[in-house]
Amino acid sequence: MLSRTDEPIHPDDLLAEARKVDLTDPRLYGSERPERIWRTFRRAGGPVRSYGLRDHWAITRHAQIREVLRHSDRISSAKGNHLGEKPSDVVASAAAGGMSLLVSDGETHAEMRRVLGAAFTPRLMRRLTDSTRELARRLVTEAMEQPSVDFVQAVAAPLPAFVICDLLGVPEADRPEVVRLTQTAFGGSGHTTSGAQMAAHTELFSYCHRLVTEKRRTPGEDVATVLAQAQFMGRPMSRTMAVMNCHDLIAGGNETARHASGAAALTLVTEPEFWRQLRAGEADPDVATEEILRRETPVNHIMRVLIGDLTIAGVPMRAGEFVSLWLRSANRDEDIFDAPGELRAARRPNPHLGFGHGPHYCIAALLARIEVGAVVRALAGLVRTAALRAEPVRLESNFFRGYQSLSLALTHR
């Protein structure tokens, strides 16, 4: 079939063809192709049945995702919060159900959220804001001193690793090793797990166990102490639950900021007007950070299993079926955002869903904003020019959207 310009219609622009694509295949995400498929799904107007590692309903519209997430009585995260990329992911998600904030629901989730939320005090957030901005400036300055640098390894990965150590109260002597383990555990391609990564995850769990144990003996003003001493449902929180939440904070605290910060650095090359406005003081850095988090959404999707029937846009979905909520697609929804593909430093309003919506709204959203915002401020304040030294390598993951490597040459302002 030919269009009016006599150009062949791309198969991904046709719903019948696009729905044949396995959205769980992580190799799909090494390119920009998913954006085209999501656009086709949005035009369909409602949930689209998709098949793969887990058969699921793919929901790509902003308003429809918000509607699903409002029905917290009909959805559950107890079987995992993402589709998975290999069979072992499905098993692991099921085993962890109900043991951490990410994969719990109802009263259990609300109680865990209460426990963890108490740790994110205004005083702690102010201290982290100052220290994170200082760290971002130091890392970016060091990156500029090299002829070229992998921005992911030099800035985007170590910054959140150091911050999460601070948040959890990891002793100074342990921090280099915890940062190393973190970068090894979460530095893979996404869909494959090396022996080194598996070993690093095992060591991180062991470290979290030791940290929680130590905080029970010697408490501090940190999140690990909160977990170690927490009362959960009227009883001391189990050590297993405390360790799971500690590990999940390390995971979540690293991945979101890492991928958003890397994407922000690439826009130095691709979006010069965005950075000109920031450098000239024509845009608020906090507003610009929200726009980075919208257009460069680091989480592709979240998943839920239906525990009750639910109809969205006239499409009936049944209890027991999985739904995937494509946050990155929602943040490109033409019904919500004017010219959604553009990166606008002063975009307002900006009701993006980068941190979800409803009862499971990301508890560490403020922390992620502090981290990404610190990188945005450092880049705007310190960098004059940026040039690519090699083709960026995308992470191949259906869950996270980011870069494995990003080789840049940066010059001082």
Side-chain angles (χ1 to χ4, degrees):
M1 180 183 296
L2 298 181
S3 68
R4 282 178 288 184
T5 58
D6 294 330
E7 293 180 0
I9 294 178
H10 195 285
D12 289 344
D13 293 336
L14 300 172
L15 181 60
E17 296 299 318
R19 69 186 304 171
K20 295 177 183 177
V21 177
D22 179 5
L23 292 181
T24 66
D25 183 354
R27 294 166 297 184
L28 177 68
Y29 299 85
S31 71
E32 294 295 318
R33 188 182 176 196
E35 310 288 353
R36 191 166 197 157
I37 294 170
W38 295 330
R39 187 169 62 244
T40 299
F41 279 20
R42 289 197 300 271
R43 286 199 301 262
V48 175
R49 193 66 175 155
S50 185
Y51 302 91
L53 181 64
R54 275 174 161 151
D55 297 347
H56 57 102
W57 290 101
I59 302 178
T60 54
R61 304 302 298 264
H62 188 283
Q64 292 168 14
I65 289 174
R66 284 174 57 95
E67 184 177 355
V68 171
L69 291 173
R70 279 198 297 267
H71 287 284
S72 57
D73 58 329
R74 302 190 203 177
I75 57 175
S76 171
S77 61
K79 292 189 177 182
N81 68 338
H82 60 96
L83 290 166
E85 296 168 335
K86 49 190 179 295
S88 60
D89 293 340
V90 177
V91 176
S93 294
M99 295 302 294
S100 81
L101 186 72
L102 294 178
V103 286
S104 60
D105 302 298
E107 187 179 358
T108 299
H109 177 83
E111 182 70 358
M112 284 190 200
R113 195 175 189 89
R114 181 194 63 77
V115 169
L116 283 169
F120 291 86
T121 64
R123 177 184 173 188
L124 175 61
M125 291 297 100
R126 284 193 297 271
R127 180 175 66 77
L128 282 177
T129 297
D130 293 339
S131 62
T132 304
R133 289 180 182 178
E134 180 181 345
L135 175 61
R137 290 182 66 86
R138 177 172 66 80
L139 292 175
V140 170
T141 298
E142 291 172 355
M144 288 189 295
E145 292 170 353
Q146 303 178 50
S148 66
V149 67
D150 182 344
F151 192 87
V152 174
Q153 296 304 315
V155 180
L159 183 138
F162 278 112
V163 172
I164 202 70
C165 282
D166 195 357
L167 185 73
L168 288 170
V170 173
E172 290 286 347
D174 294 351
R175 292 187 183 188
E177 178 63 7
V178 173
V179 170
R180 184 192 69 79
L181 288 174
T182 298
Q183 292 186 255
T184 302
F186 302 106
S189 64
H191 63 94
T192 59
T193 305
S194 68
Q197 280 181 273
M198 293 176 66
H201 275 292
T202 299
E203 288 185 59
L204 276 176
F205 271 113
S206 295
Y207 184 81
C208 289
H209 187 278
R210 295 196 300 274
L211 184 63
V212 168
T213 300
E214 178 59 27
K215 294 297 182 179
R216 284 183 171 178
R217 289 196 296 259
T218 310
E221 293 184 11
D222 50 66
V223 175
T225 296
V226 170
L227 288 168
Q229 299 185 335
Q231 292 290 309
F232 182 78
M233 302 292 193
R235 302 177 62 183
M237 177 180 281
S238 72
R239 190 164 310 198
T240 299
M241 187 174 286
V243 169
M244 285 289 294
N245 277 289
C246 183
H247 180 272
D248 282 358
L249 279 171
I250 292 175
N254 275 278
E255 298 282 19
T256 299
R258 170 185 179 138
H259 299 314
S261 297
L266 182 57
T267 65
L268 285 167
V269 178
T270 61
E271 305 286 347
E273 177 60 17
F274 178 89
W275 293 97
R276 186 202 66 76
Q277 291 179 38
L278 270 175
R279 293 182 186 117
E282 297 172 10
D284 183 330
D286 291 332
V287 174
T289 297
E290 289 302 305
E291 178 69 342
I292 291 284
L293 289 166
R294 178 198 68 84
R295 204 193 70 170
E296 306 300 334
T297 310
V299 177
N300 283 325
H301 79 277
I302 54 177
M303 184 200 73
R304 299 289 185 264
V305 63
L306 290 171
I307 54 176
D309 294 348
L310 186 61
T311 298
I312 299 292
V315 177
M317 303 179 293
R318 304 303 181 196
E321 295 178 328
F322 291 97
V323 293
S324 60
L325 309 172
W326 295 89
L327 304 181
R328 190 172 171 103
S329 172
N331 289 343
R332 303 286 185 100
D333 192 331
E334 301 81 357
D335 286 353
I336 304 297
F337 302 99
D338 178 48
E342 294 181 8
L343 191 70
R344 297 180 175 178
R347 185 186 292 273
R348 281 180 167 167
N350 192 348
H352 70 79
L353 297 180
F355 297 111
H357 178 71
H360 269 266
Y361 184 81
C362 179
I363 195 170
L366 178 56
L367 179 63
R369 286 184 166 106
I370 289 171
E371 293 170 332
V372 180
V375 172
V376 168
R377 281 176 165 81
L379 293 176
L382 299 173
V383 177
R384 179 170 63 88
T385 65
L388 278 174
R389 287 290 179 257
E391 189 68 22
V393 179
R394 273 215 180 266
L395 183 71
E396 293 184 343
S397 168
N398 66 37
F399 189 33
F400 289 112
R401 190 79 162 149
Y403 296 92
Q404 274 190 271
S405 65
L406 180 61
S407 180
L408 294 173
L410 305 173
T411 63
H412 288 273
R413 287 188 67 180

